[in-house]
Amino acid sequence: MATFPPKAPTLAEIARSAGVSTATVSRVLKSRGYVAEATRARVAAVLRDTRYRPNVMASSLRTQRSFSIGLIVPAITSNPFFVNVAHAVEEEALQHGYKTIIFNHNGDEALERQGIERLLERRMDALIVCNATAAANVELAIAAGIAVVQIERETSARTPAVIADNYLGAREAMAHLIGLGHRRIAFVGGDPAQLPYHGPQARSVEEQRLEAYREALAEAGIAVRPDYIRLGRYYDIPAGSGRYGREHTQALLGLDERPTAVFATCDVLAAGALQALHVARLRVPDDVSVIGFDDTLAGNLTPALTTVAQPMQDMGAEAFRLAMAALGGDAEPRTVTMATWVVHRGSTAAPGATR
Amino acid sequence: MATFPPKAPTLAEIARSAGVSTATVSRVLKSRGYVAEATRARVAAVLRDTRYRPNVMASSLRTQRSFSIGLIVPAITSNPFFVNVAHAVEEEALQHGYKTIIFNHNGDEALERQGIERLLERRMDALIVCNATAAANVELAIAAGIAVVQIERETSARTPAVIADNYLGAREAMAHLIGLGHRRIAFVGGDPAQLPYHGPQARSVEEQRLEAYREALAEAGIAVRPDYIRLGRYYDIPAGSGRYGREHTQALLGLDERPTAVFATCDVLAAGALQALHVARLRVPDDVSVIGFDDTLAGNLTPALTTVAQPMQDMGAEAFRLAMAALGGDAEPRTVTMATWVVHRGSTAAPGATR
DNA sequence: TTGTACGCGTTATCAA
DNA sequence: TTGATAACGCGTACAA
């Protein structure tokens, strides 16, 4: 019959079959401290053919280090941005011997709190919070004595953070459109009122992007038209669809003087915009130009979307590095702002252009 | 000054401040066993205002249960399918007090092996493997005495599995197209030769879909044209883009008698197909119909894509349930096959239709 | 109803 | 160069 509980061998068992003490086994495992070549070989052999696998929990208990890092994100299914950030954190962490444990908060403050509690119970060495819903939650983790880093949105002033340069990114998008000759440019983006902000920066992500839009128009001598500004949420957390982008764009197309370009501050919104334009039988970019933000879905859309890229890879990796630094005692909560850039694909052109 | 190492309080410390033994604290924590109301209240108070958080690792070490489940997937960034499955597993697990720990294998057998090892070291109670690259890896986990469940692809015969009905799903897609009147239908899908299979089923996922395509044509009395069959990979793991769908479709459009419909067996491929058609200035569905598979990107594409939906939510949840059953001693490796269905959106129509 | 004491699998200190 | 041995934080027989 099969060997029933194929229980994983323990250090002590290894020690016994190798005829040494657990201390010695531990030493060869960690290749640390003195150990005679003869014994090391003997132990190594037993380790190998017994398929020994250290029990990380026991080790963590003893060393008070879990080599795990918690990552809290909104629903990972709602926006590919979060998946990319998560993957980046994961990769960087792995390279440093860390495992990333992900928790979704679905945009719900209570759920976020619970997620942080669970992660704290598992004694994460550090915590990375992407899009924190409440400063209190972030500070809950700080109070527990853990290193915390924020990504994308600075909700609490008390941790290091890595964010993209939202103002400049939006300015670049506008410069691109205006440079192409557009003057009737609509803005489809997040609503500062619906995404309340009480953080350390003067303005929220949404306010920064909107401000960039306004200032870019002003500098170009173009009047801001309130009916060209459509604000709301980025996506439907349960549905995860581009619904809002569609609706806003439909509304814009109903205007008697419709815009020649749409600046959507999220690729998910832009995807909906492209759909609405298609349904209205307008061609992109011939009839209307569209530019997005994030560079997530962009490459998969039709037409391929010109968009403002955020360095998601670097942001995730940098967040991990900041967390490690904080763990190492670097206490200053510096904010790293990362550059964005426009990726030119096929969705923008001069107004009225007919290829 | 701040209290420096805000070390988390331990059970023993709680016991001391409450003037009871650790056993009693543990009892109120678990609300199990006898404990006088007076003492329970006293202990509860200390627990509360000391912000006690149990150390899950210590607890797991003692109980030999980690209440963690490992999930291995290909690169989570390469196909939204994996994200949805992961999210589903996570949700179901959470509802049962389990935490899901995700590992990406990037389609690499060695990496997958490492991921399994890491998860084993962390003493997962069970393991769910999505798209396992090698039976040997799956069996490595089985040998370690852990419950294992496979999703989407049955690579080893030795575990329970949950898969979508790929043959029927593909038949439904074809029935839809043929019912619309199409006879020149192209197939863009995974190449059985490039995605080798040595599992328990008679045919791999790719072979099943391809067989369904062939048989549907045969039953409709339509000759199979080899030049209408384009096989390859689904996506570029590093790039994650719809590159292959574009290339295959471009090739199809170069044919002197081009197809009137394209069946792409993955939404990521379909996204590329839509792009290629747009570049060729063909309208979908007026000039060419496109149907996808998965229902991931579908709702965000232009035009919104008709596709064969896989029940990703249910698949993830069911995989978790099977894992729990296996943990509970249910040893039979049954395979659960789940139904697919066509979601009608705007990308298919009768050939030559002009709205 | 409550407390004592041991062990889960490691690591690390201290002698030998 | 090696081995006892004591933690790490918790759960649980068993005794009181």
Side-chain angles (χ1 to χ4, degrees):
Chain A
M1 290 269 81
T3 47
F4 234 86
K7 205 181 62 67
T10 70
L11 244 189
E13 287 163 8
I14 303 295
R16 205 171 322 124
S17 6
V20 295
S21 73
T22 61
T24 300
V25 179
S26 184
R27 277 188 281 256
V28 342
L29 234 24
K30 298 269 139 79
S31 25
R32 180 177 4 196
Y34 296 101
V35 42
E37 181 47 35
T39 44
R40 103 159 274 102
R42 189 151 37 94
V43 172
V46 179
L47 247 18
R48 208 175 315 112
D49 52 53
T50 194
R51 289 199 149 291
Y52 173 76
R53 261 182 286 263
N55 183 325
V56 172
M57 292 182 309
S59 165
S60 298
L61 183 58
R62 177 62 236 242
T63 60
Q64 302 288 74
R65 291 275 254 118
S66 66
F67 285 100
S68 298
I69 183 166
L71 173 63
I72 308 240
V73 288
I76 207 169
T77 46
S78 64
N79 189 337
F81 178 85
F82 304 125
V83 179
N84 286 298
V85 168
H87 196 254
V89 169
E90 165 96 15
E91 282 217 320
E92 185 74 10
L94 236 31
Q95 271 167 15
H96 294 264
Y98 269 80
K99 181 73 196 102
T100 304
I101 301 195
I102 304 175
F103 225 103
N104 294 82
H105 66 51
N106 297 355
D108 176 13
E109 188 171 332
L111 238 170
E112 179 179 55
R113 209 184 104 88
Q114 276 183 47
I116 291 177
E117 289 288 358
R118 293 293 91 74
L119 259 11
L120 254 21
E121 289 174 355
R122 282 168 185 269
R123 300 296 188 265
M124 299 293 107
D125 290 341
L127 196 60
I128 296 178
V129 187
C130 183
N131 256 331
T133 66
N137 285 343
V138 173
E139 280 148 25
L140 181 72
I142 299 175
I146 194 180
V148 184
V149 173
Q150 292 172 94
I151 300 194
E152 212 212 344
R153 232 162 252 257
E154 222 171 344
T155 302
S156 161
R158 304 190 39 217
T159 83
V162 21
I163 56 178
D165 195 327
N166 287 290
Y167 177 81
L168 267 188
R171 284 299 301 248
E172 285 160 17
M174 291 301 291
H176 173 58
L177 258 18
I178 291 169
L180 247 20
H182 290 277
R183 296 185 66 82
R184 304 212 304 270
I185 303 173
F187 180 93
V188 175
D191 185 355
Q194 278 184 62
L195 298 154
Y197 173 73
H198 312 284
Q201 304 283 324
R203 300 183 190 294
S204 71
V205 170
E206 285 66 38
E207 286 164 334
Q208 286 181 44
R209 294 175 182 177
L210 191 49
E211 189 181 22
Y213 167 78
R214 290 205 160 99
E215 294 188 1
L217 288 181
E219 287 182 20
I222 303 171
V224 172
R225 293 179 51 159
D227 56 350
Y228 276 7
I229 300 180
R230 305 285 313 183
L231 306 177
R233 304 196 71 91
Y234 294 101
Y235 40 75
D236 221 344
I237 287 245
S241 72
R243 175 186 153 200
Y244 297 119
R246 266 195 307 275
E247 293 175 357
H248 286 313
T249 306
Q250 275 158 8
L252 288 168
L253 295 181
L255 264 25
D256 39 70
E257 197 178 29
R258 69 157 193 256
T260 61
V262 175
F263 173 25
T265 66
C266 174
D267 280 4
V268 177
L269 288 175
L274 292 178
Q275 291 182 326
L277 290 165
H278 181 261
V279 168
R281 305 224 132 222
L282 289 168
R283 291 192 64 95
V284 177
D286 313 62
D287 301 318
V288 179
S289 285
V290 178
I291 186 166
F293 207 106
D294 288 351
D295 199 17
T296 52
L297 293 176
N300 282 313
L301 301 179
T302 302
L305 185 74
T306 295
T307 195
V308 179
Q310 292 200 56
M312 301 174 287
Q313 280 297 318
D314 293 344
M315 288 171 74
E318 180 65 18
F320 178 80
R321 273 178 245 122
L322 285 176
M324 288 301 105
L327 249 186
D330 179 355
E332 55 169 326
R334 58 207 151 112
T335 295
V336 177
T337 302
M338 299 202 137
T340 59
W341 62 94
V342 175
V343 176
H344 297 272
R345 294 201 180 89
S347 67
T348 49
T354 307
R355 285 186 269 180
Chain B
M1 288 273 77
T3 46
F4 235 85
K7 202 179 67 62
T10 70
L11 245 190
E13 287 162 8
I14 301 296
R16 206 172 318 124
S17 8
V20 296
S21 74
T22 60
T24 300
V25 179
S26 185
R27 278 188 280 255
V28 342
L29 234 25
K30 300 267 139 78
S31 27
R32 179 178 0 200
Y34 296 101
V35 44
E37 182 47 34
T39 43
R40 102 159 273 102
R42 188 150 38 94
V43 172
V46 179
L47 247 17
R48 209 176 315 114
D49 52 53
T50 194
R51 289 198 151 290
Y52 173 75
R53 262 182 283 265
N55 183 324
V56 173
M57 291 181 310
S59 163
S60 299
L61 185 57
R62 177 63 237 247
T63 60
Q64 303 287 78
R65 291 275 253 120
S66 65
F67 285 100
S68 298
I69 183 167
L71 173 64
I72 309 239
V73 289
I76 207 168
T77 46
S78 64
N79 189 338
F81 177 85
F82 304 125
V83 180
N84 287 299
V85 167
H87 196 254
V89 169
E90 166 95 16
E91 282 217 321
E92 185 74 10
L94 234 31
Q95 272 167 16
H96 295 264
Y98 270 79
K99 182 75 195 100
T100 304
I101 303 197
I102 304 174
F103 225 105
N104 294 82
H105 66 51
N106 296 356
D108 176 15
E109 188 171 331
L111 238 170
E112 180 180 54
R113 208 184 104 88
Q114 275 182 49
I116 291 177
E117 290 286 357
R118 295 292 89 75
L119 259 11
L120 254 20
E121 288 174 357
R122 282 166 185 270
R123 299 297 187 265
M124 298 295 106
D125 289 340
L127 196 61
I128 296 178
V129 187
C130 184
N131 255 333
T133 67
N137 286 343
V138 173
E139 280 148 23
L140 181 71
I142 298 175
I146 194 179
V148 184
V149 174
Q150 294 172 93
I151 300 194
E152 213 214 341
R153 231 162 253 258
E154 221 172 342
T155 302
S156 160
R158 303 191 39 217
T159 84
V162 21
I163 56 178
D165 196 327
N166 288 290
Y167 177 81
L168 268 188
R171 283 301 299 250
E172 285 160 18
M174 291 301 290
H176 173 58
L177 258 17
I178 291 169
L180 247 21
H182 290 278
R183 297 185 65 82
R184 302 211 307 269
I185 304 173
F187 179 95
V188 174
D191 185 354
Q194 278 183 63
L195 298 154
Y197 173 74
H198 312 286
Q201 305 282 325
R203 302 184 190 291
S204 71
V205 169
E206 285 67 38
E207 285 164 335
Q208 287 180 43
R209 295 176 182 175
L210 191 48
E211 188 182 23
Y213 167 78
R214 290 206 160 100
E215 294 187 0
L217 288 182
E219 286 182 20
I222 304 171
V224 173
R225 293 179 49 160
D227 56 351
Y228 276 6
I229 301 180
R230 305 285 314 183
L231 306 178
R233 304 195 71 91
Y234 294 101
Y235 40 76
D236 222 342
I237 287 245
S241 72
R243 176 188 153 198
Y244 297 119
R246 267 196 306 276
E247 294 176 356
H248 286 312
T249 306
Q250 274 158 8
L252 289 168
L253 295 180
L255 263 26
D256 39 69
E257 197 178 28
R258 68 159 193 255
T260 61
V262 174
F263 173 25
T265 66
C266 173
D267 279 4
V268 177
L269 287 175
L274 293 178
Q275 291 182 325
L277 290 164
H278 182 261
V279 168
R281 307 224 131 221
L282 290 168
R283 290 193 64 95
V284 176
D286 314 62
D287 301 319
V288 178
S289 286
V290 177
I291 187 167
F293 207 106
D294 288 351
D295 199 17
T296 52
L297 295 175
N300 282 314
L301 300 180
T302 302
L305 185 74
T306 295
T307 195
V308 179
Q310 293 199 55
M312 299 174 289
Q313 281 296 319
D314 294 342
M315 288 171 75
E318 179 65 17
F320 179 80
R321 273 178 246 122
L322 286 176
M324 287 302 104
L327 250 187
D330 178 356
E332 55 170 326
R334 58 207 151 114
T335 296
V336 177
T337 303
M338 300 203 136
T340 58
W341 62 95
V342 174
V343 177
H344 297 272
R345 294 202 179 86
S347 67
T348 49
T354 307
R355 286 184 272 180

